[in-house]
Amino acid sequence: MSKMQYLVAMPTIAIVGATGLVGKELQKVLKIRNFPVDELRLFSSKDSAPNFRGVDIAFFCVSASVAEVLIPKALEEGSLCIDSSSAFRMEPHVPLVIPEINPSALKGHKGLIASPNCTTTLMLLALAPLHAVSPIEKIICSSYQAASGAGARALEEMRSKASLHESPQNNSGYNEEEEKMHWESQKILGDDSLVVSATCVRVPIPRVHSLSLHCTFKEEIALDQAEELLKNSPGLEWVDHAFTTDEASGKEAVFCGRLRVARDDPKSLELWVLGDQLLKGAALNSVQIAEECLK
Amino acid sequence: MSKMQYLVAMPTIAIVGATGLVGKELQKVLKIRNFPVDELRLFSSKDSAPNFRGVDIAFFCVSASVAEVLIPKALEEGSLCIDSSSAFRMEPHVPLVIPEINPSALKGHKGLIASPNCTTTLMLLALAPLHAVSPIEKIICSSYQAASGAGARALEEMRSKASLHESPQNNSGYNEEEEKMHWESQKILGDDSLVVSATCVRVPIPRVHSLSLHCTFKEEIALDQAEELLKNSPGLEWVDHAFTTDEASGKEAVFCGRLRVARDDPKSLELWVLGDQLLKGAALNSVQIAEECLK
């Protein structure tokens, strides 16, 4: 158990990694959403010794290796830690939370809550309303990931060279991002039988991840019903026209459209999902987790 | 039957649409491959009355609507017509040919041969060697299509704005490009039961289409065997490192890699395929068809 017993109404906030792309977005999101802040302490990921004394909520927007070192220190000081890195996501005692989907996972947390991989979050936000009606058996996903998902340097590189990039494969044949989508989806939806076969590719887009999804459900969901569910889900916005990534950039919502029954398989639906991976895929989801904890 | 009975050793060639992206590539391909040319007549797609008298082989690199008007005129003059547009691809008496896959479809042609949709060609070139060992039942494909696939103007637009683009859906839920991939694949592989569930998206890449493929076969193909087949297929080049679209630009080969058994489905393989859609996807395939006819 952390020392933190409850959260104060006007917390002292720390952002670790405040100068990175996600950290900067997080500062904006706190302001836009009028998140209560008594004091705000900003640390860059290079600050070797951020001081967490008196910090009620610490947001970590740093790499997994930095998070692994700093989060134990913040927990010792009793800070509620919200981590957007992959460092602790798969630890059984660490809730992995998308507030629209599994807020109940926050119950009995031990001071550390993980925010999922950006691509996982966008995908599940669109699929969870359908999963609630008929369980997902399998997802085949191809991603079109923005350069800013790989940090500020990748964004600069993109501007000089428009090309697609892949990451090296693991022994499984899948790369790290593709593995995360499988295992994190199982944990968030609480279903060990769920299969995610993902192909993750980086495209020369400054911002906004897009996903081509082919999703097989246990039972057939009628197209009308699926559309109705997607139109009425929190955090989701239905799109019925040709849509570019620019239109989703800087928006809190995740957008979905191009819904159709897969050719020759009535139990499978295909849809196109896109969202700002720096917002719902990272900073916004972390702030929403904090909001949920303050309720 | 066209008037053309046989092809001369040094043919007179016409290129209709010679100033477009594909037409320009076609001129280069003829030179590079030392295609025999007695006389070369170049027509822009705006030439209202190209004269086909004496033309042995006419390459059409124009839109379907222009091809529909001009090809009958060339056939009347006895020219062998090779059409890269979609105008006649699905006509039963018109062979739809990828020379590495179905050269026998050329037998008994009536003077008009169609070259398939660029994305279809790249996909099938990679999958045909596997299909020969165990028939494909279903392909789930997500494309990452270069701007130049939509013509010179789209290429210019891309340079000013990096964003993803989709095309509007038909009543089926699929767009025109996605429909082509399904129906043309059935025709080329000669299998009406084959299913292609495609999602085609344009990305801000100047050149080279990429494909994320999830392919289910009738019988399991061992990973080793599949890799061996892909490494030894004409027109294909195996890639075992992270590969960017730039590296495939301007190359005749279609590249494939990232092969793996799909998570939890031994009958499905996933792979990444990329190729220059102006070359093997269009100009090169058309020239190869002509070469095959001259044999």
Side-chain angles (χ1 to χ4, degrees):
Chain A
M1 269 299 271
S2 77
K3 287 193 279 184
M4 177 203 59
Q5 298 302 319
Y6 56 87
L7 285 168
V8 295
M10 288 296 281
T12 292
I13 306 282
I15 301 177
V16 185
T19 57
L21 288 174
V22 175
K24 281 180 190 163
E25 290 300 321
L26 207 140
Q27 294 173 59
K28 285 188 216 161
V29 171
L30 289 174
K31 263 196 191 145
I32 288 166
R33 294 177 71 93
N34 290 316
F35 193 92
V37 179
D38 181 37
E39 187 194 330
L40 184 61
R41 299 189 198 166
L42 303 179
F43 302 106
S44 91
S45 61
K46 279 161 200 144
D47 279 327
S48 54
N51 184 356
F52 295 103
R53 190 149 300 164
V55 169
D56 295 300
I57 304 176
F59 291 102
F60 290 84
C61 311
V62 291
S63 68
S65 56
V66 174
E68 272 170 20
V69 174
L70 295 181
I71 285 176
K73 294 182 183 178
L75 289 173
E76 266 177 39
E77 296 290 349
S79 312
L80 173 69
C81 297
I82 299 174
D83 181 17
S84 63
S85 89
S86 64
F88 300 98
R89 282 181 196 148
M90 295 310 295
E91 296 287 327
H93 66 279
V94 176
L96 183 63
V97 176
I98 301 170
E100 293 90 340
I101 300 176
N102 63 338
S104 64
L106 290 169
K107 273 179 208 156
H109 70 78
K110 305 286 192 286
L112 169 58
I113 300 152
S115 186
N117 168 272
C118 51
T119 318
T120 309
T121 301
L122 303 179
M123 176 175 80
L124 291 187
L125 199 71
L127 294 182
L130 307 175
H131 177 74
V133 167
S134 174
I136 299 168
E137 290 190 336
K138 188 190 276 205
I139 303 165
I140 295 164
C141 167
S142 295
S143 74
Y144 301 65
Q145 302 191 206
S148 54
R153 198 179 302 164
L155 191 58
E156 279 313 304
E157 273 178 26
M158 183 211 92
R159 297 197 198 283
S160 64
K161 196 178 177 187
S163 193
L164 296 187
H165 285 269
E166 312 149 71
S167 300
Q169 289 172 289
N170 293 338
N171 289 337
S172 66
Y174 291 93
N175 67 32
E176 211 182 310
E177 183 89 353
E178 294 158 2
E179 288 288 349
K180 284 177 190 169
M181 291 185 73
H182 175 68
W183 300 109
E184 294 183 15
S185 293
Q186 285 195 347
K187 179 166 177 173
I188 294 162
L189 296 183
D191 181 353
D192 291 352
S193 67
L194 173 67
V195 174
V196 183
S197 260
T199 301
C200 292
V201 177
R202 204 163 293 289
V203 297
I205 298 274
R207 199 166 158 154
V208 172
H209 284 5
S210 301
L211 300 168
S212 164
L213 300 177
H214 176 106
C215 188
T216 307
F217 298 89
K218 196 150 189 244
E219 308 290 343
E220 190 176 328
I221 307 177
L223 196 62
D224 290 2
Q225 189 193 357
E227 186 174 322
E228 211 50 45
L229 286 165
L230 294 173
K231 281 179 172 167
N232 294 294
S233 291
L236 262 189
E237 218 164 283
W238 176 259
V239 168
D240 57 7
H241 59 283
F243 199 71
T244 70
T245 47
D246 283 349
E247 296 174 71
S249 183
K251 305 276 168 60
E252 290 198 351
V254 169
F255 299 84
C256 66
R258 289 222 59 207
L259 181 72
R260 60 196 182 240
V261 179
R263 204 184 284 281
D264 291 353
D265 180 6
K267 284 188 180 175
S268 294
L269 295 173
E270 295 181 341
L271 68 163
W272 180 251
V273 174
L274 66 172
D276 192 317
Q277 90 286 357
L278 297 176
L279 289 177
K280 185 56 187 172
L284 173 61
N285 198 65
S286 290
V287 172
Q288 286 174 310
I289 289 171
E291 288 171 348
E292 198 67 32
C293 291
L294 285 179
K295 272 182 187 169
Chain B
M1 272 297 274
S2 77
K3 285 192 280 180
M4 177 201 61
Q5 297 303 319
Y6 55 89
L7 285 169
V8 294
M10 287 296 282
T12 292
I13 306 282
I15 301 177
V16 185
T19 56
L21 289 174
V22 174
K24 282 180 188 163
E25 290 300 321
L26 207 139
Q27 294 173 59
K28 286 189 216 162
V29 171
L30 289 174
K31 263 194 194 149
I32 288 166
R33 294 176 73 92
N34 289 316
F35 193 92
V37 179
D38 179 38
E39 186 196 332
L40 185 61
R41 300 191 197 165
L42 304 178
F43 301 106
S44 90
S45 60
K46 279 162 200 143
D47 279 327
S48 54
N51 184 358
F52 295 103
R53 189 150 301 166
V55 169
D56 297 298
I57 304 176
F59 291 101
F60 290 84
C61 310
V62 291
S63 67
S65 55
V66 174
E68 272 169 19
V69 174
L70 295 181
I71 284 175
K73 295 183 183 178
L75 288 173
E76 268 178 38
E77 297 291 349
S79 312
L80 172 68
C81 297
I82 299 174
D83 181 16
S84 63
S85 87
S86 64
F88 300 97
R89 283 181 196 147
M90 295 310 294
E91 296 287 328
H93 67 280
V94 176
L96 183 63
V97 175
I98 300 170
E100 293 90 341
I101 300 177
N102 63 338
S104 64
L106 289 169
K107 274 179 208 157
H109 69 78
K110 305 284 190 288
L112 169 57
I113 300 152
S115 184
N117 167 274
C118 51
T119 318
T120 308
T121 301
L122 303 179
M123 177 175 79
L124 291 187
L125 199 72
L127 294 182
L130 307 176
H131 177 74
V133 167
S134 173
I136 299 168
E137 291 191 336
K138 186 190 278 203
I139 303 166
I140 296 163
C141 167
S142 295
S143 74
Y144 301 65
Q145 300 189 209
S148 54
R153 199 179 300 164
L155 191 59
E156 278 313 304
E157 273 178 24
M158 184 212 91
R159 298 196 198 282
S160 64
K161 197 177 177 188
S163 193
L164 296 188
H165 286 268
E166 310 148 72
S167 300
Q169 288 171 290
N170 294 339
N171 289 338
S172 65
Y174 291 93
N175 66 34
E176 213 182 309
E177 181 90 354
E178 293 158 3
E179 288 289 350
K180 284 176 191 169
M181 292 185 73
H182 175 68
W183 299 108
E184 293 184 15
S185 294
Q186 285 194 348
K187 180 167 177 174
I188 294 161
L189 296 183
D191 181 353
D192 291 353
S193 68
L194 172 68
V195 174
V196 183
S197 259
T199 301
C200 292
V201 177
R202 205 163 293 288
V203 297
I205 299 274
R207 197 166 159 156
V208 172
H209 285 2
S210 302
L211 300 169
S212 164
L213 299 177
H214 176 106
C215 187
T216 306
F217 299 88
K218 196 152 186 246
E219 308 290 343
E220 189 176 328
I221 307 177
L223 196 61
D224 290 1
Q225 191 193 356
E227 187 175 320
E228 212 49 43
L229 287 164
L230 294 173
K231 281 179 174 168
N232 295 296
S233 291
L236 261 188
E237 218 165 282
W238 175 260
V239 167
D240 57 8
H241 59 282
F243 199 70
T244 70
T245 47
D246 282 349
E247 295 174 73
S249 184
K251 304 275 168 60
E252 290 198 350
V254 169
F255 299 84
C256 66
R258 287 221 63 204
L259 180 73
R260 60 196 183 239
V261 180
R263 204 184 286 280
D264 291 353
D265 180 6
K267 284 188 182 176
S268 294
L269 295 173
E270 295 181 341
L271 69 162
W272 181 249
V273 174
L274 67 173
D276 192 316
Q277 90 287 355
L278 297 176
L279 289 176
K280 185 57 187 170
L284 172 61
N285 198 64
S286 290
V287 172
Q288 287 174 312
I289 289 171
E291 288 171 348
E292 197 66 30
C293 292
L294 285 179
K295 272 184 189 169

